[in-house]
């Protein structure tokens, strides 16, 4: 190689190194910007725990800026999708609701995350109702809380309905992109043979757990394993696999096999007529089973409001536009009714 060619190559190498450094810096700047968007301000959130039937449930309590324990605040419980933990969509909503003046509790249901309960990864609407009642007891026991509401995202929309129908201490609820099952939906989703197979597998798993004390698990979400509770083509479940979104270290993509029939039997819509408190239903055509959200709304007999947005289901987990849309409406509604 001639001297001039070597000089040119050295110049190119230096330029490439500079470009690489710039790209790396831009990458980390983007990551840090996103992380800051989702970060927890240690001054405004603290870990808390409370008991339910001897089990310790662990959560994060978010407070508004300039929080004063001598003042009075409206409180909100925020819970998320099937198998989710408090660091996922609940945290995304909790921080924004705290920024709007609420005290917000996002906690791990029993059997999930940092909360106690065996078997692990168990889906049980009955136990989740007990967990939520314990959360209401915890919040109403705080001297600075004057009213408690709940926001249920995806599967927890049904749990919010269940809570409002069974606990008179709740002042208002909001469902966001709710997955609102009933027995007929299970048949629509899977067909009668698959529903029967899932129920049989769940019963066999319960019997095995009773004998061995060990719970069988399968993936909660998968794009390759058709034995998963939820199977879909690549890209659909990006939220759960993407570390920049819901693929947080605290999340475990697993479900107890004995959970396979839990949501097939769960029927929160049948309880809608029991709800006496104001209820806001936030949904979109692109969210899961919009006809179920409309069915719930139609059966509500008390104060209610239907809010229809845009975007797809997972946009309501962490999409800034859809989450801000939901939070804006929830804030307006809860400020009116959480007294």
């Amino acid at each position: 190689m001639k001297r001039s060619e070597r000089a040119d190559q050295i110049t190119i190498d230096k330029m490439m190194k500079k470009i690489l450094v710039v790209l790396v810096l831009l990458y980390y700047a983007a990551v840090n910007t996103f992380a800051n968007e989702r970060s927890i301000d240690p001054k405004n959130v603290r870990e808390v725990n409370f008991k339910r039937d001897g089990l310790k449930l662990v959560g994060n309590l978010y407070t508004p800026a300039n929080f004063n324990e001598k003042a009075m605040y409206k409180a909100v419980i925020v819970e998320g999708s099937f198998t989710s933990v408090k660091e996922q969509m609940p945290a995304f909503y909790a921080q924004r609701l705290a920024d709007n003046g609420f005290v917000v509790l996002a906690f791990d249901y029993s059997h999930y995350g940092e909360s106690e309960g065996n078997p692990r990864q168990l889906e049980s609407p009955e136990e989740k109702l007990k967990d939520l009642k314990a959360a209401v007891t915890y919040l109403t026991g705080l001297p600075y809380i004057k009213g408690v509401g709940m926001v249920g995202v995806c599967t927890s929309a049904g749990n919010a309905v269940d809570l409002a129908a069974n606990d008179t201490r709740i002042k208002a609820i909001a469902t966001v992109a709710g997955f609102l099952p009933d027995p007929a939906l299970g048949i629509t989703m899977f067909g009668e043979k698959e529903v029967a197979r899932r129920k049989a597998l769940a019963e066999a798993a319960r019997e095995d757990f009773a004998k061995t004390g060990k719970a069988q698990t399968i993936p909660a979400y998968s794009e390759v394993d058709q034995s998963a509770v939820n199977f879909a083509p690549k890209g659909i479940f990006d939220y759960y696999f993407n570390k920049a979104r819901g693929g947080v270290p605290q999340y475990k993509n697993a479900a107890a096999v004995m959970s396979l029939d839990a949501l097939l039997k769960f029927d929160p819509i049948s309880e809608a007529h029991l709800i006496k408190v104001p209820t806001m239903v936030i949904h979109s055509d692109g969210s899961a089973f919009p006809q179920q959200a409309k069915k719930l709304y139609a059966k509500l007999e008390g104060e209610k409001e239907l809010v229809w947005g845009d975007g797809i289901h997972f946009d309501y987990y962490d999409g800034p536009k859809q989450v801000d849309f939901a939070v804006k409406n929830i804030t307006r509604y809860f400020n009116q009714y959480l007294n």
Side-chain angles (χ1 to χ4, degrees), residues 232-246:
K234 187 174 182 180
I236 299 297
F237 296 136
D238 176 74
Y239 177 83
Y240 296 100
F241 305 136
N242 189 335
K243 292 181 180 180
R245 300 184 69 195

Side-chain angles (χ1 to χ4, degrees), residues 22-40:
V22 170
L23 289 174
V24 169
L25 290 173
L26 287 172
Y27 168 78
Y28 281 107
V31 169
N32 288 334
T33 298
F34 191 86
N36 288 337
E37 174 70 13
R38 299 168 61 89
S39 67
I40 295 175

Side-chain angles (χ1 to χ4, degrees), residues 96-335:
R96 283 157 175 74
L97 286 166
D99 291 342
N100 280 276
F102 298 98
V103 170
V104 189
L105 174 65
F107 73 97
D108 290 327
Y109 286 120
S110 58
H111 306 278
Y112 292 106
E114 294 183 278
S115 290
E116 295 178 342
N118 283 312
R120 304 305 296 168
Q121 303 301 116
L122 176 70
E123 184 66 22
S124 170
E126 295 82 5
E127 294 213 25
K128 285 186 171 182
L129 176 58
K130 293 178 182 179
D131 296 343
L132 289 168
K133 286 184 174 182
V136 175
T137 298
Y138 167 74
L139 286 172
T140 55
L142 298 176
Y144 45 83
I145 298 303
K146 60 181 177 180
V148 180
M150 179 176 173
V151 174
V153 181
C154 190
T155 307
S156 283
N159 302 118
V161 170
D162 200 14
L163 177 64
N166 290 280
D167 195 325
T168 58
R169 298 172 297 171
I170 284 291
K171 303 302 182 184
I173 64 167
T175 70
V176 180
F179 173 64
L180 297 157
D182 59 20
L185 182 63
I187 300 297
T188 300
M189 290 174 66
F190 303 115
E192 292 185 0
K193 288 185 178 179
E194 177 62 12
V195 166
R197 187 187 76 87
R198 290 187 173 217
K199 289 182 176 180
L201 285 173
E203 181 58 32
R206 279 192 287 271
E207 292 176 0
D208 186 65
F209 178 73
K211 293 176 182 177
T212 67
K214 296 180 180 180
Q216 305 168 31
T217 61
I218 54 177
Y221 303 92
S222 182
E223 298 169 342
V224 294
D225 187 348
Q226 295 191 33
S227 73
V229 179
N230 299 287
F231 174 77
K234 187 174 182 180
I236 299 297
F237 296 136
D238 176 74
Y239 177 83
Y240 296 100
F241 305 136
N242 189 335
K243 292 181 180 180
R245 300 184 69 195
V248 296
Q250 297 89 343
Y251 177 66
K252 186 175 183 180
N253 180 28
V257 175
M258 65 180 78
S259 300
L260 274 172
D261 61 349
L263 296 181
L264 295 172
K265 297 185 293 185
F266 191 33
D267 190 6
I269 293 177
S270 68
E271 298 182 290
H273 71 285
L274 299 174
I275 297 177
K276 307 302 181 186
V277 298
T279 300
M280 173 174 277
V281 178
I282 301 174
H283 216 83
S284 71
D285 288 330
S287 293
F289 307 104
Q291 75 277 8
Q292 295 295 106
K294 292 176 181 178
K295 186 189 296 187
L296 169 70
Y297 184 77
K299 291 182 178 294
L300 292 167
E301 296 180 0
E303 184 71 30
K304 60 185 179 180
E305 182 175 341
L306 181 64
V307 178
W308 216 254
D310 60 10
I312 63 170
H313 188 83
F314 296 100
D315 289 338
Y316 287 88
Y317 289 7
D318 63 349
K321 179 184 176 183
Q322 283 73 24
V323 173
D324 288 346
F325 171 79
V327 168
K328 179 180 178 180
N329 282 284
I330 293 166
T331 297
R332 168 180 57 81
Y333 203 65
F334 280 9
N335 273 332

Side-chain angles (χ1 to χ4, degrees), residues 35-55:
N36 288 337
E37 174 70 13
R38 299 168 61 89
S39 67
I40 295 175
D41 184 342
K43 294 180 293 185
N44 292 338
V45 64
R46 66 179 185 272
E47 183 179 300
V48 299
N49 64 77
F50 50 96
K51 293 286 187 177
R52 192 275 284 176
D53 297 335
L55 297 177

